[in-house]
Amino acid sequence: MLDCTPKEPVPEGSHTIGKINPVKTCQPIGAMYAALGIHRCLPHSHGSQGCCSYHRMALSRHFHDPAMASTSSFTEGASVFGGAANLKTSIKNVFQIYDPDIIAVHTTCLSETIGDDIPAIIKQSEIPEGKYVIHCNTPSYDGSHVTGFSNMCKGIVNYLAEADDAPKKEQVNIFPGYVNPGDMREIQRIVTEMGIKSIMYPDTTNVMDSPMMKKYEMYPMGGAKIEDIKDSGNSKMTIALGAWSSAEAAAILQSKCKVQGVPLKIPIGVKATDEMIMALKDGFDVEVPLSLEIERGQVIDTLLDIHFQYEGKKVAVYGDPDIVIPLTELLITMGMIPKYIITGTNGKKFEQTINSMLEEAGIEGSKIKAEGDLFDLHQWIKEESVDLLIGNSHGKYIARAEDIPLVRVGFPVYDRAVHPLMPITGYRGCLRLIEMISNTLLDRRDHDALDQDYELIL
Amino acid sequence: MTLSKVDMDELMAPFPDKVVRNRKKHIVQKDCTESCQQIEANTRTVPGIITQRGCCYAGCKGVVVGPIKDMVTITHGPIGCAYYSWGTRRNKIRADDNTPAEDLYGAMCFSTDMQESDIVFGGEKKLAKMIDEIVGIFHPRAINICATCPIGLIGDDLGAVSKAAEERHGIQVLHYDCEGYKGVSQSAGHHIANNQIMEHIIGKGTDKVDGKYLVNFLGEYNIGGDAWEIEKLLEQIGYKIVSTLTGDSAYVNIRNMHQVHLNLVQCHRSINYIADMMETKYGTPWLKVNFIGIEATIESLRDIAQCFGDKDLIKRTEFVIEKELAAVTPEIERYKKICNGKSAFAFVGGSRSHHYQYLLRDLGMDVTVAGYEFAHRDDYEGREVIPTIKSDADSRNIPELHIEADQEMYEEPHIHLKMSKEKYDELVASGKLGNYEGMYPDMVDGGIMIDDANHYETEELIEIFKPDLIFTGIKDKYISHKMGVPSKQMHSYDYSGPYTCFRGAVTFAEDVANALSTPAWKMITPPWDKADIEGGE
């Protein structure tokens, strides 16, 4: 596997241009995923058919569920003369044939390079009474899929959130970040457990992990309701989970509707979950219920019971910054050594944040890179190997080439199922991560053990 | 099976008038008492319609060029296009005598990852530098450069970049102007890829390939190992495959493809251009085959043997057929008990919706609705309609190569097949060579042939025909499930396969039987609802 790569690590400066085996994809897929988190919304891809098709395929492969979306079906003519006619026709046809309550338009590198003025085209379009068309710009040549997710969140706030003159309501907005529906459900459960009313968007629960019911609905039962999104302007506070995926939308909501935005990490691991709970406790002046204290205690109990199974093991982590940062924090909590940490997404904050975490933990000799790729990671591993890989499915080639076990976390996971329904967030999700990591290492130990070392009890 | 007449106006009730006028031409219901009606195909999808179609880049890089195992393929553009076409098509590859593992790039993804400044100032320098770095690290035998949407708009000259890189590095660097917006579907990309492979790779090899019966296997992408199954079978009989196009193919083998005696064409849509052009340039005859389905495989084997007309070859063919058939028949019969009498839909690509009808018939199943995403009229109606197909603004954008007979390498087709001119003429008269009759003749009476089926129509047709199983792609797979209809992915085989030849038919039969009978289908209604229903009665 990967025999085409040189046996020895390539000299520094050999790979400086482009990406080889990337850890990011383009903006529009993130925008499509975010738009699917609005109830009765049809995401619309303003570009060539291939974009829409590729995004729908990637989402369906990860979630094992339909990802409905329409496209402006650009041809060469539209590319020369602009896509206004295609978008207007699309809006008319989509409302008449597929009858969504809202169309969420995102752009592509094609329509961005042409320079289509989406708000102007929307204004010229026929929009039935009571229906909505919103948009965001997602130039594929800037940022990553996480940027696209963030841009659609910003678009949703820009178009829909409203504030009444009345005092703020005792409710919190949850911007969950680019996570699985299983995580969104878990995060909202924790907030509800604290007795706080919440509005969450995007909310892909029961959309991208929709149950098998007796009747097919093109628009599944899940997703944030438009009236709730509007009402989010009246909330007292927003917890913006993930600096890359949620912080900017919360900042817009704060300036537009005076809703206090609290930027937080996605609650992966004990510390990040603690921080989210503390922010909610302080913001709403509520007590943390015993039930959550029990959940937390179970995690700490587990960490103390089995730390020797994973402590000191070296890990390479790769994926989206909002996932990788708290995941690295959890690994430190577990006493593991995050040796290599890579994201494909840009942003100086990434290296700074991870470096300060490692410094605080007294861990030296780790390598961190934003805008990196899996070729970079592979080179580092060739220099000095690790005990475990944690990241999306694309790391499986390195896992095989270098014979390192892989725990699948993040997006996309193409070669396993059930993960979109199960959380890695909150204390319950933390237990699940500990279980996945320790079981993977123990399976490896059992697999490698000589007969005389093969033990019943571990 | 009797199928009732579908009321097209009712089917399209919610469509705006313009959409109705467009879509009506893309749907034909077979009436055995009439000859094939014209079907509209390879024309634009109406914007806003939820189509299954992809783009030109997907057809060029994703389908045809990507599987060439020993070439580095760089996608020039923003990150997404390379990313989505990375490892997502199951075109398996392996090392062989001509290509060691060090020359396999199937697990790799190369993108210039264009940024905003590249869009503004142009991406040529970045591409040139990336080529240099890749040559430095990987030393590939040759490189492909595939364009994405913005490239055509910003005017990067890929031809100039490729030519300069060839001079710097002394290897071939081919470029494909396969911007996503070109044409109306993946089909444009197939054609663009065919042109470049024909013009720049085929015929360049000088190593003499030995063998009594040399063939190429065109339009086979080795999904799930399909090509390997075919290769095993053909080798048993005595054929040697010089190259497939492009499943598990190698640049070094494609260069020698001109030396074969006969081209075999599996996927007509994606590769008929090369079959045609090779016939013109080298005189190589081509035969449409289908190794999906037991009966189809047998017929194809017999047709190939007839092309050479050698008695020993025909005898060996029959021996192999008998042996293989005996091995699989009991197993097929077992699965047939589950599958027999069931009906299916097939919405895939530009050939499979036809090919799989043979295999399903082996299992006693009928396809009631079949459609292609990106086919042309000839794939439905047969090649005889090709002269009558009108070109339009979209199809005119795809260049046609003007091929002439090669002065040194052209040989008359009958010489390729080592037979007399008279015998060859008889073979041509039988209608097999250089011909494809399309899907229509194999459709059941009353069956629907639908081009570029969209989400609404699919949903309605499921309501009308109530199929037992749907063969489709990942975008529609889970929709089908939510509608209560089992589905199998016909692009990826749900990660099973190979499905070709005799043994593949058994694997397919088992997969289909499992899809139809997995116990969870009977558990959708919870017991409390069942109790309510029973109580109500």
Side-chain angles (χ1 to χ4, degrees):
Chain A
M1 189 49 62
L2 299 181
D3 294 294
C4 63
T5 58
K7 286 200 172 52
E8 297 302 316
V10 298
E12 193 101 346
S14 303
H15 167 44
T16 64
I17 294 278
K19 293 282 177 285
I20 305 176
N21 297 357
V23 198
K24 66 162 181 182
T25 182
C26 62
Q27 284 207 42
I29 192 173
M32 187 182 281
Y33 180 52
L36 286 163
I38 306 174
H39 183 59
R40 293 189 59 80
C41 174
L42 193 70
H44 182 83
S45 166
H46 186 52
S48 299
Q49 281 160 182
C51 311
C52 187
S53 177
Y54 274 145
H55 304 146
R56 292 181 64 202
M57 286 195 277
L59 292 172
S60 278
R61 285 182 177 128
H62 174 89
F63 292 104
H64 296 260
D65 250 339
M68 300 306 294
S70 53
T71 165
S72 289
S73 289
F74 272 49
T75 56
E76 191 141 3
S79 306
V80 174
F81 300 113
N86 289 51
L87 185 52
K88 280 187 257 182
T89 308
S90 296
I91 290 171
K92 181 172 185 273
N93 285 336
V94 165
F95 277 126
Q96 188 161 342
I97 300 168
Y98 300 111
D99 192 34
D101 288 346
I102 177 168
I103 297 173
V105 180
H106 62 261
T107 56
T108 57
C109 52
L110 176 56
S111 52
E112 286 290 336
T113 306
I114 297 167
D116 278 347
D117 181 350
I118 307 298
I121 302 169
I122 292 174
K123 277 205 187 94
Q124 295 159 11
S125 299
E126 291 172 41
I127 302 170
E129 187 71 27
K131 304 272 182 175
Y132 299 84
V133 179
I134 66 171
H135 100 286
C136 71
N137 292 87
T138 48
S140 318
Y141 42 73
D142 182 35
S144 75
H145 56 296
V146 184
T147 324
F149 183 91
S150 166
N151 282 340
M152 184 51 84
C153 292
K154 285 152 69 180
I156 296 170
V157 171
N158 276 328
Y159 275 87
L160 299 174
E162 291 169 0
D164 301 338
D165 292 335
K168 292 297 179 199
K169 294 182 184 174
E170 283 296 311
Q171 67 190 22
V172 67
N173 301 325
I174 305 167
F175 291 180
Y178 198 136
V179 292
N180 282 326
D183 292 307
M184 295 183 184
R185 187 177 288 110
E186 179 63 10
I187 292 163
Q188 193 163 36
R189 184 188 70 83
I190 293 171
V191 175
T192 307
E193 197 74 14
M194 293 180 74
I196 303 165
K197 191 169 171 276
S198 62
I199 293 170
M200 178 164 69
Y201 61 91
D203 177 5
T204 59
T205 64
N206 295 326
V207 180
M208 297 312 290
D209 65 350
S210 63
M212 183 73 195
M213 304 295 267
K214 284 163 288 179
K215 194 173 176 304
Y216 167 71
E217 298 287 352
M218 180 173 167
Y219 302 104
M221 65 174 95
K225 304 261 187 334
I226 293 170
E227 61 265 29
D228 289 337
I229 297 173
K230 284 186 173 179
D231 192 40
S232 68
N234 297 316
S235 298
K236 186 173 155 187
M237 190 174 122
T238 303
I239 49 168
L241 307 178
W244 276 258
S245 39
S246 303
E248 288 183 22
I252 291 173
L253 188 60
Q254 180 161 328
S255 65
K256 185 181 176 186
C257 300
K258 310 281 177 291
V259 180
Q260 185 205 353
V262 182
L264 291 162
K265 290 194 279 273
I266 290 176
I268 296 169
V270 183
K271 282 190 177 178
T273 306
D274 286 351
E275 283 164 20
M276 185 184 82
I277 288 174
M278 286 305 288
L280 290 162
K281 179 185 184 306
D282 295 346
F284 289 86
D285 197 22
V286 291
E287 290 303 311
V288 178
L290 179 62
S291 57
L292 289 178
E293 203 168 323
I294 290 171
E295 284 178 25
R296 186 180 188 280
Q298 287 168 335
V299 176
I300 306 299
D301 190 62
T302 305
L303 287 169
L304 295 171
D305 290 347
I306 60 164
H307 68 95
F308 48 84
Q309 290 173 353
Y310 44 71
E311 189 144 9
K313 299 279 188 196
K314 285 179 288 181
V315 191
V317 196
Y318 58 92
D320 300 340
D322 288 337
I323 304 281
V324 168
I325 289 172
L327 195 54
T328 303
E329 193 174 56
L330 170 63
L331 295 172
I332 294 170
T333 302
M334 293 169 74
M336 300 180 81
I337 300 164
K339 180 76 183 161
Y340 306 127
I341 306 107
I342 276 198
T343 185
T345 301
N346 50 346
K348 283 187 186 141
K349 287 189 302 268
F350 181 77
E351 294 177 20
Q352 288 163 1
T353 311
I354 303 263
N355 267 322
S356 62
M357 280 178 180
L358 294 172
E359 208 171 300
E360 199 185 320
I363 297 169
E364 289 175 359
S366 296
K367 289 189 176 183
I368 305 123
K369 191 170 182 183
E371 289 188 82
D373 58 30
L374 292 180
F375 182 81
D376 294 328
L377 178 62
H378 194 188
Q379 299 310 303
W380 293 348
I381 288 173
K382 282 181 194 228
E383 275 169 24
E384 186 184 343
S385 195
V386 290
D387 302 299
L388 188 68
L389 288 166
I390 305 183
N392 62 42
S393 293
H394 286 118
K396 76 187 290 181
Y397 299 113
I398 297 178
R400 185 175 174 96
E402 303 300 329
D403 193 20
I404 303 167
L406 167 64
V407 169
R408 286 161 177 81
V409 171
F411 179 88
V413 174
Y414 286 153
D415 56 342
R416 297 291 185 273
V418 192
H419 55 89
L421 295 111
M422 307 301 282
I424 56 166
T425 44
Y427 301 123
R428 306 299 294 171
C430 188
L431 273 182
R432 184 165 165 259
L433 279 172
I434 296 166
E435 186 184 21
M436 284 158 69
I437 290 168
S438 62
N439 284 3
T440 302
L441 290 168
L442 292 174
D443 280 346
R444 182 57 190 245
R445 177 173 164 173
D446 279 343
H447 181 267
D448 290 350
L450 300 172
D451 274 2
Q452 67 262 34
D453 298 325
Y454 190 68
E455 301 179 61
L456 177 66
I457 302 164
L458 291 170
Chain B
M1 181 174 284
T2 324
L3 299 170
S4 52
K5 185 88 185 150
V6 173
D7 182 337
M8 294 298 167
D9 290 315
E10 207 179 299
L11 175 69
M12 297 179 186
F15 289 178
D17 293 344
K18 267 189 175 172
V19 180
V20 174
R21 283 200 296 278
N22 175 300
R23 287 302 304 160
K24 266 188 173 175
K25 291 184 267 182
H26 292 265
I27 305 180
V28 165
Q29 186 161 25
K30 181 163 176 174
D31 182 345
C32 270
T33 59
E34 291 175 17
S35 62
C36 181
Q37 285 169 258
Q38 182 175 323
I39 187 165
E40 189 151 302
N42 194 36
T43 55
R44 292 177 191 181
T45 301
V46 180
I49 296 291
I50 300 180
T51 171
Q52 295 181 333
R53 280 178 167 179
C55 64
C56 181
Y57 167 86
C60 180
K61 195 274 183 179
V63 174
V64 181
V65 170
I68 304 176
K69 60 187 172 183
D70 58 347
M71 291 178 89
V72 163
T73 298
I74 302 173
T75 298
H76 185 40
I79 194 72
C81 306
Y83 185 89
Y84 302 115
S85 55
W86 174 22
T88 48
R89 208 166 156 262
R90 294 199 78 218
N91 40 260
K92 292 188 175 183
I93 58 167
R94 64 185 174 199
D96 58 33
D97 294 347
N98 294 336
T99 307
E102 289 74 23
D103 284 317
L104 302 181
Y105 301 100
M108 306 297 287
C109 172
F110 300 92
S111 166
T112 51
D113 186 22
M114 287 175 83
Q115 300 296 302
E116 187 150 14
S117 59
D118 303 316
I119 300 290
V120 176
F121 301 110
E124 292 177 11
K125 281 187 187 154
K126 190 171 196 179
L127 174 60
K129 180 100 195 286
M130 188 165 186
I131 295 171
D132 292 348
E133 290 190 351
I134 282 171
V135 171
I137 297 170
F138 297 96
H139 312 291
R141 290 166 169 174
I143 292 176
N144 294 312
I145 312 292
C146 291
T148 60
C149 285
I151 304 309
L153 296 183
I154 65 173
D156 274 3
D157 187 345
L158 299 191
V161 174
S162 303
K163 191 160 176 283
E166 284 187 344
E167 283 164 13
R168 280 199 306 282
H169 301 296
I171 57 168
Q172 269 198 299
V173 180
L174 303 183
H175 73 282
Y176 303 82
D177 297 322
C178 56
E179 286 86 350
Y181 56 75
K182 287 196 172 154
V184 298
S185 69
Q186 294 95 311
S187 178
H190 304 149
H191 196 162
I192 289 166
N194 273 237
N195 286 350
Q196 290 298 81
I197 292 171
M198 182 67 202
E199 198 166 15
H200 299 290
I201 314 184
I202 295 172
K204 307 293 179 197
T206 48
D207 303 335
K208 180 93 180 73
V209 185
D210 294 320
K212 198 170 175 194
Y213 306 109
L214 296 178
V215 296
N216 293 315
F217 208 90
L218 311 184
E220 167 51 57
Y221 300 99
N222 200 30
I223 310 301
D226 276 353
W228 294 332
E229 201 67 16
I230 295 168
E231 190 181 4
K232 259 193 305 197
L233 186 64
L234 291 180
E235 279 180 356
Q236 275 190 66
I237 296 171
Y239 303 103
K240 180 172 178 177
I241 297 179
V242 174
S243 182
T244 51
L245 275 187
T246 50
D248 195 36
S249 68
Y251 169 78
V252 291
N253 297 347
I254 297 173
R255 286 161 59 87
N256 289 315
M257 279 177 60
H258 59 292
Q259 300 183 38
V260 298
H261 306 120
L262 177 67
N263 276 327
L264 305 175
V265 174
Q266 174 94 353
C267 174
H268 174 260
R269 178 68 271 129
S270 62
I271 217 84
N272 77 90
Y273 315 96
I274 282 178
D276 255 355
M277 290 188 281
M278 283 186 71
E279 186 161 22
T280 308
K281 187 168 182 179
Y282 305 110
T284 321
W286 65 269
L287 175 74
K288 174 72 181 77
V289 292
N290 174 25
F291 284 85
I292 306 286
I294 291 173
E295 288 301 321
T297 299
I298 292 171
E299 190 184 341
S300 294
L301 289 176
R302 287 181 177 152
D303 286 346
I304 302 167
Q306 285 303 328
C307 282
F308 290 101
D310 180 316
K311 274 186 193 148
D312 285 345
L313 195 68
I314 292 168
K315 214 168 127 188
R316 270 205 305 283
T317 300
E318 292 306 324
F319 173 76
V320 169
I321 289 170
E322 199 178 323
K323 187 185 78 172
E324 295 282 335
L325 202 53
V328 299
T329 302
E331 285 179 85
I332 290 285
E333 288 304 319
R334 188 156 48 116
Y335 296 120
K336 200 172 171 177
K337 283 187 189 128
I338 299 169
C339 302
N340 197 33
K342 300 279 198 293
S343 70
F345 284 9
F347 301 115
V348 228
S351 284
R352 287 170 198 262
S353 296
H354 181 199
H355 291 159
Y356 275 87
Q357 297 198 24
Y358 291 88
L359 182 42
L360 289 164
R361 269 208 306 266
D362 291 339
L363 301 175
M365 292 175 72
D366 274 327
V367 172
T368 50
V369 179
Y372 293 135
E373 278 173 51
F374 48 75
H376 298 199
R377 275 183 60 200
D378 38 315
D379 302 302
Y380 296 100
E381 301 173 59
R383 283 180 70 87
E384 63 188 37
V385 302
I386 290 177
T388 69
I389 296 175
K390 291 191 193 99
S391 64
D392 61 14
D394 299 310
S395 57
R396 274 193 295 273
N397 287 333
I398 314 304
E400 291 275 349
L401 289 187
H402 296 287
I403 300 285
E404 288 173 4
D406 188 287
Q407 288 190 338
E408 284 169 20
M409 291 187 268
Y410 183 86
E411 279 182 334
E412 291 292 332
H414 70 272
I415 297 171
H416 278 270
L417 296 176
K418 301 168 197 157
M419 59 173 61
S420 67
K421 180 81 171 64
E422 292 71 31
K423 213 166 164 209
Y424 173 75
D425 288 342
E426 274 173 36
L427 201 58
V428 172
S430 75
K432 294 275 187 188
L433 276 182
N435 193 26
Y436 176 48
E437 291 185 339
M439 179 205 274
Y440 190 79
D442 283 313
M443 289 297 296
V444 295
D445 193 26
I448 296 271
M449 213 161 65
I450 182 166
D451 178 66
D452 186 20
N454 57 60
H455 175 64
Y456 181 80
E457 290 162 357
T458 307
E459 213 181 308
E460 289 299 296
L461 289 166
I462 290 172
E463 285 296 322
I464 296 168
F465 286 95
K466 301 196 176 359
D468 298 296
L469 189 61
I470 296 181
F471 295 98
T472 184
I474 185 75
K475 295 192 287 286
D476 277 2
K477 178 180 176 70
Y478 304 111
I479 297 170
S480 167
H481 284 189
K482 295 283 198 271
M483 293 183 79
V485 186
S487 78
K488 293 296 298 171
Q489 289 186 66
M490 259 308 98
H491 298 276
S492 70
Y493 308 163
D494 287 333
Y495 322 103
S496 177
Y499 282 165
T500 41
C501 308
F502 297 90
R503 184 57 27 204
V506 175
T507 308
F508 177 82
E510 183 183 0
D511 290 348
V512 167
N514 286 347
L516 289 168
S517 61
T518 195
W521 283 117
K522 294 193 179 128
M523 299 174 74
I524 295 166
T525 306
W528 49 92
D529 275 10
K530 277 185 194 155
D532 280 355
I533 294 164
E534 280 159 20
E537 282 167 357

